[in-house]
Amino acid sequence: MTEQPPRVLLADDQTLVRTGFRMILGADGIDVVAEATNGAEAVEAVRRTRPDVVLMDVRMPEMDGLEATRRILTGAPGEPRVIILTTFDLDRYVYAALSAGASGFLLKDVTPEHLASAVRTVRTGDALLAPAITRRLVQRFAQRGTDTAALHRDLASLTPRELEVLGLLARGLSNAELATRLHLAEATVKTHVARILAKLGLRDRVQAVIVAYETGLVSAGERGAAQGS
């Protein structure tokens, strides 16, 4: 059976941006079901149209994209995936949005091919960012000891193997690389990752990377050298 194309909501206060993205997505067979010019409109439009993916600008009048993302990602069944749109790849608002549950971010000068691919990627439940990019955001904006408890829950719920997987995942290893590193089948690695996300109440690998750094499981600057046995 052919999978239905993603249904997308565009939230941006610039008409030109919305028009351009609508044309790009439409050309790839992706349906834009609604548009919003501010965060409040985006929240209402999500409730009304129930899109699969929201492309959310950060800086908008009345209600910004960060607050809109928080309100949309309330844990209700069927909530959409949110991709943050920004002109700054290391924007503190992007980091906050990722912590709030956004599945990744795109620069507004993204290529048409990458835009369509990104929408399809997050629609399937995958995170959009490479962990290394998230690590850059964490290194710049994360502050341990601040109000992060609501995000990272308690790492004590993880088994030693799950802690190991989380630490390596945060350093940028893919499932295939994790499997090689830990001498496990890739399917087993996927099971470990799924259990980590479930135990910590996280949406995807992006939030898992943030958790690993904010809890001190991984330190900024550890990178690949820390993977040695």
Side-chain angles (χ1 to χ4, degrees):
M1 188 168 95
T2 304
E3 183 180 83
Q4 293 297 314
R7 301 170 70 255
V8 175
L9 166 67
L10 297 176
D12 195 296
D13 60 336
Q14 298 180 48
T15 302
L16 189 59
V17 171
R18 297 197 311 275
T19 300
F21 278 17
R22 177 186 281 274
M23 292 176 62
I24 290 169
L25 294 173
D28 201 72
I30 296 173
D31 187 22
V32 175
V33 297
E35 296 183 16
T37 62
N38 60 59
E41 288 182 6
V43 173
E44 190 280 328
V46 165
R47 292 170 179 162
R48 176 168 41 84
T49 64
R50 304 186 69 81
D52 300 306
V53 178
V54 179
L55 291 172
M56 180 78 75
D57 187 22
V58 172
R59 296 183 175 101
M60 294 183 290
E62 297 188 40
M63 181 190 296
D64 64 23
L66 175 56
E67 179 59 26
T69 296
R70 286 177 177 147
R71 295 192 186 193
I72 290 169
L73 301 179
T74 59
E79 64 190 18
R81 296 279 167 165
V82 176
I83 299 175
I84 297 298
L85 300 172
T86 180
T87 53
F88 305 100
D89 66 341
L90 287 180
D91 187 329
R92 69 178 64 252
Y93 295 106
V94 172
Y95 173 78
L98 295 176
S99 297
S103 295
F105 76 90
L106 291 172
L107 298 181
K108 287 189 179 181
D109 61 359
V110 62
T111 65
E113 295 78 13
H114 191 188
L115 176 64
S117 174
V119 168
R120 295 182 186 280
T121 294
V122 301
R123 192 271 189 97
T124 65
D126 289 338
L128 182 60
L129 297 186
I133 298 174
T134 311
R135 180 175 59 229
R136 290 168 56 207
L137 285 163
V138 173
Q139 289 176 358
R140 181 162 175 178
F141 297 118
Q143 295 182 2
R144 284 182 204 153
T146 57
D147 185 19
T148 58
L151 172 64
H152 59 61
R153 313 298 195 269
D154 185 0
L155 294 188
S157 65
L158 302 183
T159 66
R161 174 63 93 183
E162 288 166 350
L163 284 171
E164 184 178 20
V165 170
L166 177 58
L168 293 173
L169 184 156
R171 297 181 186 114
L173 274 69
S174 66
N175 285 348
E177 291 168 335
L178 280 165
T180 299
R181 168 76 174 144
L182 299 175
H183 307 291
L184 298 172
E186 191 168 345
T188 302
V189 169
K190 290 179 180 178
T191 298
H192 282 310
V193 173
R195 286 176 177 167
I196 291 167
L197 299 181
K199 286 184 177 182
L200 299 182
L202 305 175
R203 291 175 60 87
D204 53 36
R205 296 166 75 101
V206 172
Q207 284 196 309
V209 174
I210 292 173
V211 164
Y213 281 91
E214 289 191 334
T215 58
L217 180 65
V218 177
S219 299
E222 276 190 63
R223 306 176 71 91
Q227 296 169 20
S229 51

